[in-house]
């Protein structure tokens, strides 16, 4: 770059700076203000979740078998003890018959053993009496005693066989009863996992055949709240929620539980918060997605400021402040006031201060700061 070009650039820069300074002095920087006003602020914690019945019972089977009959379907209303399905009972009935026969046989053997015991007891007492009169030998008495004691042991053994056969019969009768699947509660069938002819196997885990919701008039939303917001959530707080199926309606609920167990997904920690759903009208269906707004704070008729004002600082002010403040446009120009912050929403924030009042003109932005910045930049270049 030659000397002539350098001189031209320098002169141009000086002209720009002088012009900018003159514009600023003429009041080219204009402040956009918004008066302080009183309003109501509602602070929410947003969450999403799924509608679920409060109490859902999984109905399974404790025995293996083939499904012979099904008496209910999805959405069926059932009563406690009502028959839902039935497994093929033939094998269970055969086991009952077999164990019943074994029990009868054991009882007959016990009766025979008791009769033998009674005979050998009398025989021993007779030999003992004869021995006292020297009609029989001591060996004859001891043999009679041995037979008597053996008969007692036989009775005990037969009694054990009767008990075992009785327990086996009771077990098989229980399995026969288990072949009939009944509802444990009054409710509505919300899931059916079997069909007629299907084989179900009960091993270590009981297979689920039906899900019965105890009461669909009262349900709940299981929401996930981030760890940053969970400290604000308390039981009893009011909540509003919307459902995708009813986009034009807002429903009301209440926080009923804040669960302490956390869930970590991709390094994001969340907690489950339960919100009540009054479903007396039957509008909610299990599995629906819900967008929930939990009201964590509400302040009425309080002094509020536009959120933009909390970020504004005049461009020619390089000072750093320890406290939050706002700039009020007064006759002499912008003046800063320290404030304390209260509740906040997307647009406004509650402020607490004895130095400002309703109607004060709070600066939220300015026009002309770019000229100042360009001027300062040109000065540094020179």
């Amino acid at each position: 770059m030659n000397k002539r070009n350098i001189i031209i650039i320098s002169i141009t820069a000086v002209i720009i700076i002088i012009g900018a300074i003159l514009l600023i002095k003429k009041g080219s920087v204009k402040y956009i203000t918004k008066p302080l006003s009183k309003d109501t602020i509602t602070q929410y914690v947003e969450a999403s979740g799924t509608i679920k019945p409060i109490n859902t019972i999984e109905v399974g089977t404790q025995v293996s078998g083939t499904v012979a009959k099904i008496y209910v379907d999805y959405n069926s209303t059932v009563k406690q003890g009502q028959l839902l399905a039935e497994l093929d009972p033939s094998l269970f009935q055969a086991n009952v018959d077999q164990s019943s026969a074994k029990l009868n046989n054991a009882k007959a053997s016990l009766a025979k053993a008791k009769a033998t015991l009674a005979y050998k007891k009398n025989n021993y007492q007779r030999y003992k009496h004869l021995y006292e009169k020297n009609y029989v030998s001591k060996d004859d008495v001891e043999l009679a005693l041995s037979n008597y004691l053996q008969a007692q042991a036989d009775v005990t053994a037969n009694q054990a066989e009767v008990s075992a056969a009785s327990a086996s019969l009771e077990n098989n009768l229980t399995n026969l009863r288990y072949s009939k699947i009944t509802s444990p509660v009054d409710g509505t069938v919300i899931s059916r996992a079997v069909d007629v002819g299907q084989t179900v196997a009960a091993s270590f885990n009981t297979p689920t055949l039906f899900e019965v919701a105890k009461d669909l008039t009262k349900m709940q939303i299981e929401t996930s709240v981030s760890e940053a917001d969970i400290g604000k959530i308390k039981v009893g707080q009011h909540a509003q929620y919307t459902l995708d199926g009813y986009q034009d309606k807002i429903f009301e609920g209440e926080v009923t539980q804040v669960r302490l167990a956390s869930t970590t997904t991709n390094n994001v920690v969340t907690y489950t918060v339960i919100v009540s759903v009054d479903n007396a009208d039957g509008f909610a269906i299990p599995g629906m997605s819900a967008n929930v707004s939990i009201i964590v704070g509400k302040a009425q008729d309080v002094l509020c400021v536009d959120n933009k004002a909390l970020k504004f600082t005049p461009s020619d002010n390089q000072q750093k402040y320890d406290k939050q403040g706002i700039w009020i446009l007064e006759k002499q120009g912008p003046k800063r006031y320290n404030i304390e912050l209260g509740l906040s929403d997307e647009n406004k924030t509650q402020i607490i201060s004895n130095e400002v009042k309703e109607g004060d003109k709070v600066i939220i932005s300015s026009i002309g700061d770019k000229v100042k910045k360009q001027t300062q930049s040109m000065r540094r270049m020179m």
Side-chain angles (χ1 to χ4, degrees), residues 349-360:
T349 298
Q350 175 191 3
I351 62 171
I352 303 169
S353 174
N354 295 325
E355 298 181 358
V356 297
K357 61 184 183 302
E358 187 176 4
D360 284 347

Side-chain angles (χ1 to χ4, degrees), residues 122-158:
N122 292 332
N123 191 53
Y124 165 65
Q125 290 176 343
R126 184 170 58 254
Y127 269 81
K128 185 179 179 181
H129 181 67
L130 292 173
Y131 174 72
E132 292 173 352
K133 295 182 178 181
N134 295 320
Y135 290 133
V136 294
S137 67
K138 185 176 181 181
D139 289 341
D140 292 333
V141 174
E142 290 178 349
L143 179 60
L145 175 61
S146 174
N147 291 335
Y148 169 53
L149 294 176
Q150 184 177 350
Q152 283 184 324
D154 289 342
V155 169
T156 302
N158 279 274

Side-chain angles (χ1 to χ4, degrees), residues 1-277:
M1 185 179 293
N2 56 38
K3 186 175 181 181
R4 182 166 177 262
N5 290 338
I6 294 174
I7 293 172
I8 292 173
I9 292 173
S10 299
I11 293 172
T12 303
V14 171
I15 293 172
I16 292 174
I17 291 172
I18 293 171
I21 293 172
L22 291 173
L23 285 172
I24 293 170
K25 287 183 177 180
K26 289 181 181 180
S28 61
V29 179
K30 294 184 179 180
Y31 296 102
I32 299 174
T33 65
K34 197 169 184 179
L36 282 176
S37 60
K38 289 189 176 182
D39 205 343
T40 296
I41 291 184
T42 304
Q43 191 171 13
Y44 298 92
V45 168
E46 305 290 341
S48 59
T50 304
I51 289 185
K52 295 183 178 181
I54 293 177
N55 197 353
T56 301
I57 309 298
E58 294 183 349
V59 182
T61 175
Q62 292 182 280
V63 294
S64 302
T66 302
V67 178
K69 296 178 181 179
I70 294 178
Y71 300 101
V72 296
D73 204 344
Y74 291 92
N75 304 332
S76 295
T77 301
V78 296
K79 297 293 184 181
Q80 183 177 6
Q82 180 177 335
L83 192 61
L84 305 180
E86 189 175 356
L87 303 182
D88 184 358
S90 56
L91 179 60
F92 304 108
Q93 186 62 55
N95 290 335
V96 168
D97 295 341
Q98 185 178 11
S99 57
S100 180
K102 288 183 177 179
L103 176 60
N104 291 333
N105 186 57
K107 286 180 177 180
S109 297
L110 176 61
K112 182 179 179 181
K114 285 181 176 180
T116 301
L117 174 63
Y119 168 75
K120 291 187 176 182
K121 179 181 180 181
N122 292 332
N123 191 53
Y124 165 65
Q125 290 176 343
R126 184 170 58 254
Y127 269 81
K128 185 179 179 181
H129 181 67
L130 292 173
Y131 174 72
E132 292 173 352
K133 295 182 178 181
N134 295 320
Y135 290 133
V136 294
S137 67
K138 185 176 181 181
D139 289 341
D140 292 333
V141 174
E142 290 178 349
L143 179 60
L145 175 61
S146 174
N147 291 335
Y148 169 53
L149 294 176
Q150 184 177 350
Q152 283 184 324
D154 289 342
V155 169
T156 302
N158 279 274
Q159 286 175 333
E161 289 182 6
V162 169
S163 297
S166 179
S168 177
L169 175 61
E170 184 59 35
N171 180 67
N172 287 320
L173 286 171
T174 300
N175 288 338
L176 180 61
R177 289 194 296 270
Y178 283 156
S179 69
K180 299 180 184 297
I181 314 300
T182 59
S183 176
V185 294
D186 295 349
T188 303
V189 177
I190 60 174
S191 175
R192 176 172 67 84
V194 290
D195 292 305
V196 173
Q198 184 174 340
T199 300
V200 292
S203 53
F204 294 105
N205 296 320
T206 301
T208 299
L209 308 184
F210 303 92
E211 282 188 67
V212 179
K214 191 172 181 180
D215 184 4
L216 291 182
T217 63
K218 295 186 182 298
M219 296 206 286
Q220 63 187 20
I221 305 172
E222 292 189 8
T223 67
S224 296
V225 176
S226 68
E227 60 179 329
D229 293 324
I230 194 63
K232 305 173 187 176
I233 307 298
K234 301 289 184 294
V235 172
Q237 288 174 332
H238 187 72
Q240 297 177 333
Y241 61 92
T242 59
L243 304 174
D244 291 343
Y246 305 92
Q247 297 182 1
D248 297 331
K249 295 186 67 175
I250 297 177
F251 302 95
E252 308 293 327
E254 182 179 291
V255 175
T256 59
Q257 189 180 59
V258 180
R259 294 181 180 172
L260 301 179
S262 63
T263 301
T264 303
T265 305
N266 296 327
N267 295 324
V268 177
V269 180
T270 59
Y271 293 84
T272 299
V273 175
I274 305 300
V275 175
S276 64
V277 174

Side-chain angles (χ1 to χ4, degrees), residues 257-377:
Q257 189 180 59
V258 180
R259 294 181 180 172
L260 301 179
S262 63
T263 301
T264 303
T265 305
N266 296 327
N267 295 324
V268 177
V269 180
T270 59
Y271 293 84
T272 299
V273 175
I274 305 300
V275 175
S276 64
V277 174
D278 186 353
N279 195 35
D281 296 334
F283 64 88
I285 300 173
M288 276 186 164
S289 298
N291 299 309
V292 183
S293 299
I294 302 171
I295 300 175
V296 296
K298 189 172 185 178
Q300 295 180 321
D301 196 30
V302 294
L303 207 57
C304 299
V305 67
D306 192 298
N307 287 339
K308 296 177 184 177
L310 301 177
K311 300 178 181 179
F312 174 79
T313 300
S315 59
D316 58 355
N317 186 294
Q318 303 300 320
Q319 186 176 349
K320 294 184 177 179
Y321 302 94
D322 295 332
K323 294 183 178 181
Q324 178 67 53
I326 56 174
W327 291 83
I328 304 292
L329 184 59
E330 299 181 347
K331 291 182 179 181
Q332 297 80 7
K335 182 178 179 181
R336 188 180 189 279
Y337 290 90
N338 291 331
I339 60 170
E340 294 182 13
L341 302 180
L343 298 180
S344 178
D345 62 20
E346 295 179 355
N347 301 313
K348 57 188 178 296
T349 298
Q350 175 191 3
I351 62 171
I352 303 169
S353 174
N354 295 325
E355 298 181 358
V356 297
K357 61 184 183 302
E358 187 176 4
D360 284 347
K361 296 180 179 180
V362 182
I363 302 174
I364 61 175
S365 64
S366 63
I367 301 174
D369 283 345
K370 289 184 179 180
V371 176
K372 282 189 175 184
K373 291 178 181 178
Q374 290 173 357
T375 302
Q376 293 168 355
S377 178

